[in-house]
Amino acid sequence: MATTLVFLFTSCLFVKASGTDNLISDEAIAVEFLHNYNEQVIKAFYTGSLAEWKYQTNLTEENKQEMVQADLVYAEFEQAAFRNASRFNVSAFSSEIQRQFRLLMYIGDAALEDKSKLKRLQDVKAELQRLYATTMVCGKPGDEDQSKCYSFDPDIAELFATSRDYSELAWAWVGWHNASGLPLKELYSEFVELNTLAIEANGHTDMLSLWQWIYEVDDLEEQVLEMYDTLKPLYLNLHAYVRRKLIGVYGEDYVNPKGAIPAHLLGNMWAQQWHNVYYLAEPYPGRQPIDITPTLKAEGYTPLQMFQIAEEFFRFLGLLPASEEFWQNSLLVKPDDGREVVCHASAWDFIVGNDVRMKMCTVATMEDFIVIHHEMGHIQYFLQYRDQPFVYKDGANPAFHEAVGDVMALSVSTPEHLYKLGLVDSFENDPENDINFLMKMALQKIAFLPFGLMVDLWRWKVFSGEITPENYNTMWWQLRMQYQGIVPPVERLDEFFDPGAKHHIPANTPYIRYFLSFVIQFQFHKALCIEAGQLDDGKPLHRCDIHKSLKAGKKLADMLKLGKSKPWMDAMEVLTGQRIMDATPLVEYFRPLIDWLEVENEKNGDTLGWDPTWRPPPPQRYTSTGSQIVTSYSLILSVTSWMYFIVQ
Ligand SMILES: *[C@@H]1O[C@H](CO)[C@@H](O)[C@H](O)[C@H]1NC(C)=O
Ligand SMILES: *[C@@H]1O[C@H](CO)[C@@H](O)[C@H](O)[C@H]1NC(C)=O
Ligand SMILES: *[C@@H]1O[C@H](CO)[C@@H](O)[C@H](O)[C@H]1NC(C)=O
Ligand SMILES: *[C@@H]1O[C@H](CO)[C@@H](O)[C@H](O)[C@H]1NC(C)=O
Ligand SMILES: [Zn+2]
């Protein structure tokens, strides 16, 4: 699914578009139309994607103009296809043909009839992304040159991963939130207004109801809240444990044993994944290492080698090899020829032949090694459903697409597998090593859950009108407090716009897919482990490695091949035998750690949860000349390309 596109569909358009009552109800003509459409759309899509690729891998004004032009051409094609499809009365067609029509008639914002409003909506979207992508934080206290500026990647991200200086982190946190969020506030509320018009013009009441249509369920919010209820005890235990460890570093004045955790101390700008603070949370220090970064660096692994290792894992399961075009056309390292490129890792499906590609500025770290597996999961999905009609070339639902590569990574990151790969030099199955390993995983997977949930809880309320521009920020922090137990380092009143400091808000990228992916990937993992016979002798789920299991690979491929041709419940059933998204395999995976945490937290007299009224004291030195936006290039992510991003 195009991550930047909001899909729209209307049931009343048949009437509107025809203007006559002689709609075509001959199914043979409809089949012929779909056939022609598929031939044409592939060409149109390819041209558009190519222009987009060219821009993102070489950010020049000329390439941007070409891309915008190509976008317009593609939009016109989509509108034409929509008009043509509207001439049919589909109500007596087979459900299969009806499904194709329904998906084909997703044409996004183009359904907005008022051309000036449509144009304004496109401009606002582009401007939101440009502002975000070009944000810099300037005037770091202690810098001799106070006009020196820092971009998020790599400077601010690196600082967050490594610094333990409370005030320095607070400066970076506030600087980033001031500089990226604030300038977007007015534009964002205009975007909400315009986008709401587009949604309404298509017969949906708000964004949530639109997304429910995409997910083919009518209770998406209830489903995710219910899943979170199952998972909440895991988070509360992890939260309490990490809070105690942070007190060890920063002291009780700054981290209150009964308070929420200051948002800037968890190794990540959004406190969304906490693996960067593993060093302080390690349950049993001095045990076997689980970080492969030192080996990757010491032995000089190249990005290409890292990709080859990942690709081999897929192949050994009997899945499809990456295509020749993949190896030829992908951009795997940041170019050193002076080009500016969008480094955010993404996987691309050009639809034509086997032209699939990756764009990633890979470095030799464990984090990137895992990201490679995530993105290769998208590539595998693309290749598996390549014979489907265009409208079915998509994940069963958006979370499925995000989960595939992560499932592979669950096997690959087991200490035993890393040992087999020669990436760690010792390996021993014992309970203490297990707890260390599960802690590392929990800091990525469990820590993420409340954030993955609250982003869209906020966005759905914004689009339903329950949250208004006057309380964007207050409600954002209310939800972050409620779900994450996170408090900003300084007071953030409603003059600010902190949601805008997260890429997926200005980019309008749906987020709940990541929450759901983190849940269902364990469901997939368990089903594949059973298929691989890994759990037969009572092996715990977290030690399972499906390496070289052709049976598991076949089962996965059977699901992936379906693409979006069936509702996701059918695809889920092929792999897991279940027709629901189920959080219990995630709980099972982390069971040993949960038990351990409960004991540990009780021993320390920690109470789970937090007092929402506690606030941290102001950071000690806190001087800054303020921040500014520096425009180095324009970034417009257009609607044409099928790109898949990572969660960051
Ligand atoms: C980048 O694009 C420009 C055109 O805007 C072109 O002249 C240049 O050769 C391209 N650079 C590379 C490395 O492709
Ligand atoms: C729409 O119909 C016209 C007229 O039949 C045809 O020329 C055109 O190729 C069709 N376009 C699409 C995208 O279906
Ligand atoms: C579509 O066809 C059905 C019969 O298959 C008919 O009842 C209905 O009135 C038609 N709708 C339109 C808008 O022509
Ligand atoms: C953030 O904005 C506030 C209000 O404008 C200002 O007082 C503060 O100094 C800014 N902080 C940074 C680090 O930019
Ligand atoms: Zn992804």
Side-chain angles (χ1 to χ4, degrees):
M1 170 189 297
T3 47
T4 48
L5 172 62
V6 175
F7 291 131
L8 299 169
F9 170 69
T10 166
S11 47
C12 58
L13 273 163
F14 291 102
V15 184
K16 196 160 60 190
S18 70
T20 70
D21 45 12
N22 48 356
L23 294 176
I24 306 165
S25 45
D26 182 341
E27 189 163 341
I29 300 178
V31 170
E32 176 69 17
F33 162 72
L34 288 174
H35 178 79
N36 288 336
Y37 166 78
N38 268 299
E39 285 193 340
Q40 290 182 43
V41 71
I42 287 169
K43 292 191 202 106
F45 185 85
Y46 185 67
T47 312
S49 303
L50 214 52
E52 179 127 10
W53 172 269
K54 201 169 148 196
Y55 175 60
Q56 287 209 19
T57 56
N58 183 8
L59 291 161
T60 67
E61 187 58 30
E62 189 184 336
N63 291 344
K64 186 179 92 181
Q65 293 308 331
E66 262 183 53
M67 179 189 75
V68 168
Q69 196 51 42
D71 279 356
L72 288 173
V73 172
Y74 187 72
E76 276 167 24
F77 172 84
E78 278 190 308
Q79 286 162 0
F82 181 89
R83 279 193 305 272
N84 288 357
S86 305
R87 299 208 182 97
F88 290 87
N89 178 353
V90 302
S91 59
F93 294 171
S94 68
S95 61
E96 158 63 27
I97 298 297
Q98 284 192 29
R99 184 175 180 82
Q100 290 198 41
F101 267 85
R102 208 161 61 229
L103 295 174
L104 186 156
M105 294 177 83
Y106 284 146
I107 61 160
D109 304 333
L112 246 187
E113 278 179 16
D114 184 330
K115 288 283 174 279
S116 68
K117 287 212 165 81
L118 178 57
K119 173 77 171 53
R120 180 65 192 155
L121 175 56
Q122 307 287 24
D123 287 347
V124 168
K125 279 167 116 169
E127 184 63 4
L128 280 170
Q129 297 211 35
R130 190 189 67 80
L131 285 171
Y132 185 88
T134 54
T135 301
M136 298 257 214
V137 187
C138 314
K140 185 174 179 193
D143 273 0
E144 217 162 276
D145 176 6
Q146 281 291 303
S147 63
K148 184 167 192 257
C149 296
Y150 300 86
S151 57
F152 186 81
D153 250 328
D155 303 326
I156 302 290
E158 180 78 18
L159 187 150
F160 257 80
T162 55
S163 173
R164 297 179 208 180
D165 178 330
Y166 189 94
S167 303
E168 183 185 41
L169 285 164
W171 167 80
W173 190 97
V174 177
W176 175 256
H177 281 76
N178 277 8
S180 63
L182 200 50
L184 307 182
K185 189 175 179 185
E186 267 182 45
L187 265 185
Y188 190 76
S189 63
E190 188 182 354
F191 165 71
V192 171
E193 263 175 46
L194 289 166
N195 206 29
T196 298
L197 288 181
I199 291 169
E200 285 172 355
N202 288 277
H204 290 286
T205 48
D206 56 34
M207 186 174 272
L208 175 60
S209 69
L210 171 65
W211 288 12
Q212 296 194 140
W213 189 84
I214 291 167
Y215 277 85
E216 303 184 71
V217 296
D218 53 16
D219 57 350
L220 186 58
E221 190 167 13
E222 290 81 355
Q223 281 196 31
V224 293
L225 289 174
E226 198 175 305
M227 277 174 217
Y228 190 67
D229 266 349
T230 308
L231 301 169
K232 194 172 163 192
L234 282 66
Y235 183 72
L236 293 183
N237 272 294
L238 186 67
H239 181 278
Y241 173 79
V242 170
R243 180 174 54 192
R244 171 148 306 277
K245 295 295 177 180
L246 286 168
I247 291 172
V249 177
Y250 298 102
E252 285 206 7
D253 286 347
Y254 288 105
V255 184
N256 186 288
K258 290 190 165 41
I261 299 174
H264 59 306
L265 303 181
L266 290 157
N268 173 281
M269 179 62 78
W270 307 277
Q272 68 178 63
Q273 282 172 308
W274 303 352
H275 49 276
N276 286 328
V277 297
Y278 177 74
Y279 70 88
L280 64 83
E282 188 165 55
Y284 297 103
R287 302 298 310 235
Q288 81 187 13
I290 48 181
D291 186 0
I292 63 168
T293 303
T295 314
L296 291 173
K297 289 205 191 300
E299 299 189 4
Y301 275 84
T302 63
L304 182 62
Q305 282 170 316
M306 290 161 69
F307 273 87
Q308 284 164 341
I309 294 171
E311 198 254 357
E312 191 181 77
F313 188 83
F314 284 86
R315 252 187 309 116
F316 281 172
L317 291 171
L319 294 167
L320 296 168
S323 58
E324 228 169 89
E325 290 92 326
F326 173 86
W327 297 114
Q328 265 165 24
N329 297 334
S330 288
L331 184 147
L332 305 183
V333 283
K334 191 169 182 168
D336 56 5
D337 53 11
R339 259 184 293 169
E340 270 197 279
V341 304
V342 177
C343 270
H344 201 102
S346 53
W348 299 53
D349 188 359
F350 286 78
I351 305 289
V352 169
N354 292 321
D355 197 346
V356 293
R357 305 181 194 180
M358 192 97 100
K359 178 181 63 56
M360 180 166 169
C361 303
T362 319
V363 289
T365 62
M366 181 158 192
E367 186 158 348
D368 272 12
F369 187 63
I370 300 300
V371 171
I372 287 172
H373 286 81
H374 174 91
E375 300 296 338
M376 289 301 270
H378 291 308
I379 298 287
Q380 183 66 216
Y381 220 153
F382 297 154
L383 293 170
Q384 289 286 350
Y385 58 52
R386 73 187 150 184
D387 293 331
Q388 293 283 356
F390 181 78
V391 291
Y392 292 160
K393 288 183 200 285
D394 202 350
N397 76 31
F400 278 57
H401 229 303
E402 297 306 331
V404 179
D406 285 10
V407 172
M408 302 296 137
L410 287 178
S411 284
V412 172
S413 40
T414 55
E416 188 170 0
H417 189 90
L418 294 176
Y419 178 69
K420 275 190 213 151
L421 289 175
L423 292 170
V424 291
D425 36 87
S426 67
F427 156 73
E428 194 195 333
N429 261 334
D430 83 52
E432 295 190 355
N433 284 338
D434 274 9
I435 295 298
N436 276 357
F437 167 68
L438 284 173
M439 179 61 75
K440 180 100 186 281
M441 297 303 284
L443 294 173
Q444 293 169 34
K445 305 284 183 182
I446 294 177
F448 177 73
L449 296 169
F451 184 74
L453 177 64
M454 63 73 53
V455 169
D456 281 342
L457 291 184
W458 179 85
R459 185 156 36 193
W460 290 335
K461 285 190 198 329
V462 165
F463 275 86
S464 74
E466 198 180 326
I467 296 177
T468 59
E470 294 70 47
N471 57 20
Y472 277 167
N473 215 45
T474 308
M475 290 304 293
W476 175 258
W477 280 107
Q478 204 166 307
L479 287 164
R480 295 200 75 184
M481 174 63 82
Q482 182 185 344
Y483 285 97
Q484 284 187 286
I486 293 295
V487 59
V490 298
E491 191 169 15
R492 302 297 286 174
L493 297 171
D494 254 323
E495 62 187 284
F496 296 106
F497 183 52
D498 294 334
K502 174 70 193 166
H503 165 85
H504 299 67
I505 295 298
N508 199 36
T509 309
Y511 212 69
I512 202 68
R513 62 176 59 171
Y514 299 114
F515 171 83
L516 289 169
S517 158
F518 275 45
V519 171
I520 65 175
Q521 62 189 245
F522 289 92
Q523 212 180 341
F524 292 177
H525 183 55
K526 184 173 178 186
L528 293 172
C529 292
I530 291 171
E531 197 65 21
Q534 279 277 308
L535 306 182
D536 290 351
D537 53 2
K539 191 191 229 184
L541 187 55
H542 67 269
R543 280 192 201 151
C544 158
D545 172 11
I546 60 170
H547 190 42
K548 291 190 173 168
S549 168
L550 295 177
K551 277 182 77 185
K554 160 105 181 32
K555 194 117 196 194
L556 180 61
D558 286 346
M559 179 181 84
L560 300 181
K561 274 192 206 109
L562 292 175
K564 201 180 168 55
S565 64
K566 301 274 188 297
W568 64 261
M569 300 80 173
D570 293 4
M572 177 67 89
E573 193 169 14
V574 167
L575 178 54
T576 68
Q578 290 172 288
R579 294 184 65 82
I580 54 161
M581 297 190 264
D582 178 9
T584 53
L586 195 165
V587 178
E588 179 183 341
Y589 180 96
F590 283 107
R591 176 51 61 196
L593 180 72
I594 301 165
D595 293 343
W596 184 88
L597 280 171
E598 279 172 357
V599 171
E600 197 69 12
N601 286 334
E602 195 170 328
K603 211 164 63 192
N604 287 310
D606 280 321
T607 42
L608 303 187
W610 45 86
D611 168 8
T613 62
W614 179 80
R615 294 288 175 275
Q620 269 174 2
R621 60 182 157 76
Y622 195 61
T623 50
S624 155
T625 57
S627 314
Q628 69 184 86
I629 303 272
V630 177
T631 305
S632 57
Y633 61 78
S634 307
L635 173 58
I636 302 171
L637 294 178
S638 74
V639 297
T640 55
S641 208
W642 282 12
M643 290 175 297
Y644 288 88
F645 296 104
I646 50 169
V647 67
Q648 294 285 342

